[in-house]
């Protein structure tokens, strides 16, 4: 994925581990969206945290300095609504050093690469940044750390030497939301920076010892390099950091012409600058900046690599976010839940040492994953989607509490939520099962997290078998059983049926029969609850709360298809456990009844009920969500295959639109863009109060429809949908690594992972093995429940793993 010119404007590549906090490397080379404490906030700017370069020469005298970021691109003349990734919080700020003239940005997740371009620079400079990412290995993928690797190449005919400057502000005490002015900010004061000196390593360890251990902002940060480097542990502002870099000297190597590493290190230890650092804790209301200046010396044509690492450790997370349902008054209790990563390490230095001790493997496997995606035979829009999916998994929307449980907001509050909420924090807590009905990336890449989320879901199940679609954290608090929940008001029926399907997915990914046996009573209970809405033909009737934050009424294929898929999944699980199959008979008669009742010759509509929000004669993009799930799980067709394909063609024909006018709801596609709307009424009959969100475009829905098209052999239709998504999220106005709905990094968008399964035709069953029936020839990235790599299908259908 390559971004140049205007396509860099909205690029913000999340760096940081699963549930461990993030910072974004942007298309102009700047670091923004500092969310190290786990508080989602796209506007979070940590001042004085940047990279810079000074390049000098002996003869002729020459000294060039640059900030390693380009000037902010001008705002787009028509900014995308509900998006903030293109905003530059420090736009207009003055700096002592100039920006580079231009940048290019490339991404192969988890690696981001920035090329810096300036005719005044006598060296070529590039950055590769990443946080280790290893499929199936949560701990390896959850490090609170970023490695920045700079490559400097001397393209000039002269000897060149200089410094790569890494600057970082001590953010301990900051809440992640309150604006910081220079080094002045609420929560600051008493910050301590200590110089780190170890053989071959140097840096600055940062903390705030005056904070209580349980303070939400208590923790540590680390700025580190293993290159020969000068260290400025404390400074009042960025101007002082850059002035310090201007005074740096390497007198002995210059005089003797000895640029060996030992000589350079000795010269730096002897004192490379006459500037003195302030001492002691930072004054009240202020923190300290710090910097490392890693030295390099290059003959013409030579190159050097310099590693700079940011690591952090903030152990405290509180369930202090919005709560749905009735409001309880718990007084001053804050409900500490912690961060799982912090239980594995004793501080930021422990994080670094864990990485250094296993870094070769972690980096090798991270690169193997990136190459498996980039070098595969997926069409470009599918490849880009699959490459970006792990960024959603490791976004601020997903976290792990100290006990190791995995939780997810629907998204991160942002520009798309200001109409009803703020723009900082988690959106719509927590583990919303009807939104996560679309998620495939998190559970496939990290099956242990998928199993964990099922266990949490069943832990809050009501005595009547229903499952509230939101979880209250901590789990020992009263859950949302028998009370109005919100979004929708009553427990979401689609989410309950999804719990069954997700449980079967975990079995296919290797959860094992003993695990399934432990969940079986909950599965039987939820199916018994849902079946209470069915009539003698197996059709579900009456009030059916769903993901559109409303209830549908009467028969509809959106809920009906999920019901059919759940019945098939229960039959399969019954067989594996040796339990009586009480589900297949209901499935058979319900499938016939739904098809006969709802098929209108082109798609599956809904009998008119006269109720608000029902879609009636509408063509709902989600009408075959249950069939998509069935294909994901290898359950076969739930309805006549020919009608399923015709319904998909109709969805694409009527709902894939190019050109959008304002429609009064949230706009996720506008102008002349292409997107799949939630519902249309191609033959009239749009109700006076139509389906909520019907005119919106949701990428999670787009991805599941596109994947379903691939399952059914409708490649052109599926590719048209995905091309529309990726064209909207091309970096010009929207961030390719942040798909937005009710918040940033919206978890419904993790439906994009199903594009891989659907296109390749490869499925995994931990019991029966890997299935490649119908797989198309090509080389594809491959993730199973206990292994990952690449899978190649030859023209003769032979398979190589």
């Amino acid at each position: 994925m390559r971004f140049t010119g205007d396509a860099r404007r909205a690029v913000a590549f999340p760096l940081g581990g699963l549930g461990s906090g993030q910072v974004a490397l942007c298309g102009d080379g700047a670091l923004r969206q500092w969310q190290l404490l786990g508080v989602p906030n796209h506007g979070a700017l940590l001042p004085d945290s940047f990279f810079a370069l000074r390049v000098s020469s002996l003869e002729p005298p020459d000294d060039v300095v640059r900030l390693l970021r380009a000037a902010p691109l001008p705002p787009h003349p028509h900014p995308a609504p509900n998006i903030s990734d293109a905003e530059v919080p420090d736009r207009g700020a003055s700096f002592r050093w100039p920006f580079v003239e231009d940048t290019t940005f490339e991404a192969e997740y988890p690696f981001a690469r920035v090329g810096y371009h300036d005719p005044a620079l006598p060296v070529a400079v590039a950055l590769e940044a990443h946080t280790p990412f290893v499929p199936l290995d949560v701990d390896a993928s959850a490090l609170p750390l970023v490695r920045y690797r700079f490559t400097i190449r001397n393209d000039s005919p002269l000897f060149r030497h200089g410094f790569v400057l890494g600057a970082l502000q001590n953010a301990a005490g900051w809440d992640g939301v309150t604006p910081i002015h220079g080094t002045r900010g609420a929560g600051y004061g008493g910050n301590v920076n200590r110089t780190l000196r170890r053989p071959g390593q140097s840096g600055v360890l940062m903390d705030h010892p005056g904070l209580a251990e349980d303070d939400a902002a208590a923790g540590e940060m680390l700025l580190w390099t293993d290159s020969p480097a000068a260290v400025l542990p404390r400074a009042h502002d960025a101007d002082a950091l850059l002035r310090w870099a201007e005074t740096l000297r390497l007198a002995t190597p210059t005089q003797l012409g000895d640029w060996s590493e030992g000589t350079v290190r000795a010269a730096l230890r002897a004192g490379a600058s006459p500037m003195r650092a302030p001492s002691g804790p930072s004054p009240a209301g202020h923190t300290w900046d710090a910097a490392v200046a890693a030295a390099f010396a290059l003959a013409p044509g030579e190159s050097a690599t310099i590693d700079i690492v940011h690591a952090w450790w903030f152990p405290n997370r509180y369930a202090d976010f919005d709560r749905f349902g009735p409001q309880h008054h718990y007084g001053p209790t804050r409900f500490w839940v912690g961060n799982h990563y912090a239980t594995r390490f004793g501080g930021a230095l422990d994080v670094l040492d864990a990485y250094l001790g296993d870094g070769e493997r972690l980096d090798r496997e991270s690169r193997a994953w990136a190459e498996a995606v980039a070098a595969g035979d997926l069409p470009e829009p599918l490849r880009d989607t699959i490459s970006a999916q792990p960024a959603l998994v490791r976004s601020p929307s997903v976290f792990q509490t100290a006990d190791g449980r995995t939780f997810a907001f629907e998204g991160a509050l942002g520009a798309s939520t200001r109409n009803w909420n703020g723009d900082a924090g988690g959106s719509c807590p927590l583990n919303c099962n009807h939104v996560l009905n679309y998620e495939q990336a998190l559970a496939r890449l990290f099956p242990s997290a998928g199993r964990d989320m099922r266990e949490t879901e069943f832990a809050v199940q009501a005595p009547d078998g229903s499952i509230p679609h939101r979880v209250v954290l901590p789990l020992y608090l009263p859950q949302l059983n028998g009370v109005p929940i919100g979004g929708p008001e009553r427990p979401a029926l689609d989410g309950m049926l999804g719990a069954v399907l997700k449980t079967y997915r975990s079995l296919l990914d290797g959860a094992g029969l003993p695990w399934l046996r432990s969940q079986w009573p909950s599965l039987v209970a939820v199916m018994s609850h849902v079946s209470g809405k069915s009539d003698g033909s197996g059709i579900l009737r009456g009030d059916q709360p769903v993901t559109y934050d409303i209830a549908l009424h009467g028969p509809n294929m959106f809920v009906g298809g999920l019901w059919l898929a759940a019945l098939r999944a229960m039959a399969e699980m019954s067989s594996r456990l040796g339990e009586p199959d009480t589900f297949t008979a209901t499935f058979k008669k319900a499938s016939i009844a739904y098809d006969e009742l709802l098929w209108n010759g082109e798609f599956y509509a809904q009998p008119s009920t006269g109720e608000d929000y029902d879609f009636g004669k509408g063509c709902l993009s989600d009408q075959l969500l249950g069939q998509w799930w069935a294909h994901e799980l290898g359950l076969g067709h739930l309805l006549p295959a020919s009608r399923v394909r015709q319904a998909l063609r109709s969805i694409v024909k009527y709902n894939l639109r190019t050109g959008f006018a304002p429609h009064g709801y949230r706009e996720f596609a506008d102008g002349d863009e292409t997107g799949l709307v939630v519902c249309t009424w191609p033959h009239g009959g749009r109700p006076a109060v139509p389906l909520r969100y019907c005119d919106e475009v949701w990428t999670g829905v787009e991805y599941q429809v596109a994947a379903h098209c691939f399952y059914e052999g409708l490649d052109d239709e599926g590719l048209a949908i995905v091309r529309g998504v990726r064209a909207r999220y091309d970096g010009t106005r929207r961030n390719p690594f942040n798909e937005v709905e009710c918040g940033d990094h919206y978890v419904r968008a993790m439906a994009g992972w199903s594009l891989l399964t659907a296109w390749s035709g490869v499925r995994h069953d931990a019991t029966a093995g890997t299935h490649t029936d119908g797989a198309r020839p090509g080389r594809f990235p491959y993730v199973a429940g206990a292994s990952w790599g690449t899978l190649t299908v030859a023209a003769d259908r032979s398979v190589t793993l």
Side-chain angles (χ1 to χ4, degrees):
M1 303 172 72
R2 181 177 172 83
F3 306 92
T4 62
D6 281 357
R8 299 169 298 142
R9 181 182 287 107
V11 172
F13 187 97
L15 296 162
L18 193 159
S20 66
Q22 285 77 31
V23 59
L25 178 63
C26 296
D28 59 7
L31 296 174
R32 291 194 275 272
Q33 299 179 13
W34 289 87
Q35 300 165 106
L36 306 187
L37 277 75
V39 179
N41 178 19
H42 266 208
L45 176 69
L46 188 62
D48 307 347
S49 301
F50 57 84
F51 297 106
L53 177 70
R54 178 184 169 199
V55 186
S56 304
S57 63
L58 303 178
E59 293 182 6
D62 195 10
D63 191 74
V64 181
V65 295
R66 289 292 185 273
L67 293 178
L68 290 178
R69 58 178 282 194
L73 286 162
H76 195 280
H78 303 288
N82 300 304
I83 296 288
S84 64
D85 288 297
E87 295 178 5
V88 181
D90 61 352
R91 184 185 297 275
S94 60
F95 297 90
R96 186 180 186 92
W97 291 7
F99 299 123
V100 296
E101 188 172 287
D102 197 11
T103 56
T104 53
F105 193 99
E106 296 179 352
E108 288 180 355
Y109 196 87
F111 297 92
R113 303 184 184 96
V114 180
Y116 305 96
H117 311 289
D118 195 308
L121 283 174
V123 297
V125 191
L127 164 65
E128 180 183 78
H130 88 292
T131 299
F133 174 81
V134 182
L136 310 181
D137 191 337
V138 174
D139 284 350
S141 304
L143 291 177
L145 168 148
V146 182
R147 191 208 72 190
Y148 304 91
R149 173 163 288 177
F150 292 90
T151 301
I152 316 292
R153 187 183 70 244
N154 184 3
D155 289 339
S156 77
L158 303 175
F159 184 89
R160 303 285 180 175
H161 66 281
F163 299 90
V164 173
L165 184 77
L168 184 65
Q169 183 169 107
N170 181 343
W174 180 42
D175 60 15
V177 179
T178 305
I180 305 168
H181 302 282
T183 54
R184 188 177 77 255
Y188 284 166
N191 295 68
V192 172
N193 288 3
R194 299 177 177 89
T195 301
L196 172 68
R197 293 289 189 192
R198 301 199 295 192
Q201 304 176 28
S202 55
V204 182
L205 186 62
M206 309 173 179
D207 66 357
H208 192 327
L211 295 176
E213 288 188 1
D214 63 351
D215 193 296
E220 296 180 356
M221 298 170 65
L222 177 66
L223 175 63
W224 174 94
T225 185
D226 60 354
S227 294
V231 177
L232 182 64
R234 290 168 294 279
H236 288 290
D237 53 32
D239 192 68
L241 297 174
L242 296 173
R243 178 61 188 139
W244 173 72
E246 292 168 354
T247 68
L248 291 173
R249 63 206 178 194
L250 291 168
T252 300
T254 301
Q255 292 169 5
L256 301 181
D258 180 1
W259 293 92
S260 63
E261 181 175 330
T263 302
V264 172
R265 286 189 183 275
L268 293 168
R269 284 195 302 271
S273 169
M275 277 183 58
R276 296 180 61 180
S279 60
S282 63
H286 288 261
T287 188
W288 294 125
D289 294 336
V292 295
F296 62 87
L298 300 172
E302 285 187 338
S303 296
T305 59
I306 291 171
D307 282 355
I308 296 176
V309 169
H310 290 165
W312 58 91
W313 181 81
F314 290 97
N316 299 315
R317 180 188 289 268
Y318 290 88
D320 56 359
F321 35 76
D322 299 336
R323 294 185 185 276
F324 279 67
Q327 297 303 297
H328 299 280
H329 301 286
Y330 296 109
T333 304
R334 294 190 292 167
F335 299 121
W336 183 92
V337 294
N339 285 312
H340 181 58
Y341 80 82
T343 67
R344 299 168 51 213
F345 310 109
L349 198 55
D350 276 1
V351 174
L352 173 71
D353 287 342
Y355 172 64
L356 295 179
D358 199 20
E360 184 176 336
R361 179 188 71 87
L362 294 173
D363 292 353
R364 180 179 65 251
E365 296 195 9
S366 298
R367 200 168 301 280
W369 171 252
E371 292 174 353
V373 176
D377 293 325
L378 292 169
E380 182 177 352
L382 273 63
R383 183 198 66 210
D384 291 351
T385 303
I386 297 304
S387 180
Q389 285 281 290
L392 282 166
V393 175
R394 298 206 297 181
S395 75
S397 298
V398 180
F399 63 93
Q400 291 186 304
T401 49
D403 58 6
R405 289 180 179 268
T406 303
F407 295 92
F409 299 106
E410 287 187 27
L413 294 173
S416 63
T417 63
R418 288 181 190 149
N419 66 301
W420 68 279
N421 204 322
D423 61 1
S427 173
C428 302
L430 199 61
N431 284 24
C432 181
N433 60 15
H434 61 72
V435 173
L436 288 166
N437 255 9
Y438 298 74
E439 178 275 311
Q440 299 291 347
L442 173 60
R444 294 294 194 185
L445 285 166
F446 301 108
S448 62
R451 293 194 298 271
D452 168 65
M453 295 182 88
R454 299 292 72 69
E455 292 167 11
T456 298
E457 193 166 28
F458 291 134
V460 302
Q461 189 172 24
D464 67 357
S466 65
I467 302 174
H469 51 271
R470 302 190 192 279
V471 170
V472 176
L473 194 65
L475 293 177
Y476 56 74
L477 292 178
Q479 295 298 320
L480 300 172
N481 291 314
V483 298
I485 300 175
E489 181 176 322
R490 293 169 294 285
L493 203 60
D494 52 346
M496 291 186 227
L497 294 167
V500 176
L501 300 171
K502 296 166 199 171
T503 303
Y504 186 48
R505 177 180 63 190
S506 288
L507 180 68
L508 298 179
D509 280 337
L513 291 178
W515 179 84
L516 178 61
R517 173 69 66 185
S518 69
Q519 311 306 316
W520 188 247
S522 296
L523 292 168
V524 172
V526 71
M527 289 297 284
S528 175
H529 173 81
V530 175
S531 66
K533 291 182 174 289
S534 66
D535 60 16
S537 68
I539 288 179
L540 301 181
R541 297 184 179 274
D543 179 77
Q544 298 169 52
V546 292
T547 195
Y548 309 113
D549 296 341
I550 49 87
L552 295 173
H553 304 84
N556 64 90
M557 194 58 81
F558 174 55
V559 176
L562 290 167
W563 168 238
L564 295 175
L567 288 167
R568 286 284 297 115
M570 288 295 289
E572 288 292 327
M573 290 186 281
S574 295
S575 173
R576 299 195 188 205
L577 289 176
E579 294 284 342
D581 177 7
T582 60
F583 306 99
T584 296
T586 302
F587 165 78
K588 289 180 177 178
K589 64 182 180 181
S591 173
I592 294 170
Y594 268 109
D595 181 64
E596 290 180 347
L597 178 65
L598 302 182
W599 181 250
N600 70 359
E602 288 186 289
F603 53 85
Y604 291 99
Q606 181 189 24
S608 178
T609 64
E611 296 277 0
D612 288 352
Y613 301 118
D614 279 359
F615 59 90
K617 297 180 180 180
C619 181
L620 181 69
S621 289
D622 261 337
Q623 64 188 267
L624 296 172
L625 182 68
Q627 183 61 74
W628 169 74
W629 260 109
H631 287 320
E632 280 289 298
L633 301 177
L635 297 174
H637 278 95
L638 309 174
L639 299 156
S642 61
R643 290 187 173 181
V644 168
R645 283 190 282 273
Q646 179 56 50
L648 278 172
R649 292 189 185 97
S650 297
I651 291 169
V652 176
K653 176 182 178 181
Y654 295 130
N655 296 7
L656 185 63
R657 175 184 302 168
T658 297
F660 289 83
H663 53 73
Y665 262 74
R666 301 167 302 186
E667 295 179 24
F668 303 121
D670 64 326
D672 60 358
E673 293 176 326
T674 296
L676 189 79
V677 299
V678 168
C679 190
T680 63
W681 286 264
H683 307 303
R686 177 173 172 137
V689 182
L691 181 75
R692 196 174 189 185
Y693 312 127
C694 60
D695 298 315
E696 295 185 357
V697 173
W698 296 353
T699 61
V701 173
E702 291 179 289
Y703 286 143
Q704 70 92 358
V705 172
H708 194 176
C709 285
F710 299 144
Y711 277 124
E712 302 290 350
L714 304 177
D715 289 358
D716 290 344
E717 289 88 341
L719 285 170
I721 296 171
V722 183
R723 287 192 186 105
V725 178
R726 302 319 301 178
R728 299 198 309 271
Y729 285 88
D730 68 349
T732 305
R733 302 195 305 152
R734 296 182 180 86
N735 182 7
F737 307 99
N738 173 27
E739 293 172 58
V740 176
E741 195 186 306
C742 187
D744 295 292
H745 307 289
Y746 202 72
V747 298
R748 196 191 312 267
M750 285 192 271
W753 187 259
S754 65
L755 297 172
L756 172 61
T757 313
W759 182 267
S760 67
V762 178
R763 291 187 294 104
H764 177 72
D765 181 336
T767 302
T770 298
H771 296 259
T772 57
D773 298 337
R776 65 183 80 211
R779 180 174 183 264
F780 307 107
Y782 171 73
V783 180
S787 62
W788 65 274
T790 59
L791 181 145
T792 302
V793 181
D796 64 0
R797 301 293 174 177
S798 61
V799 176
T800 303
L801 282 173

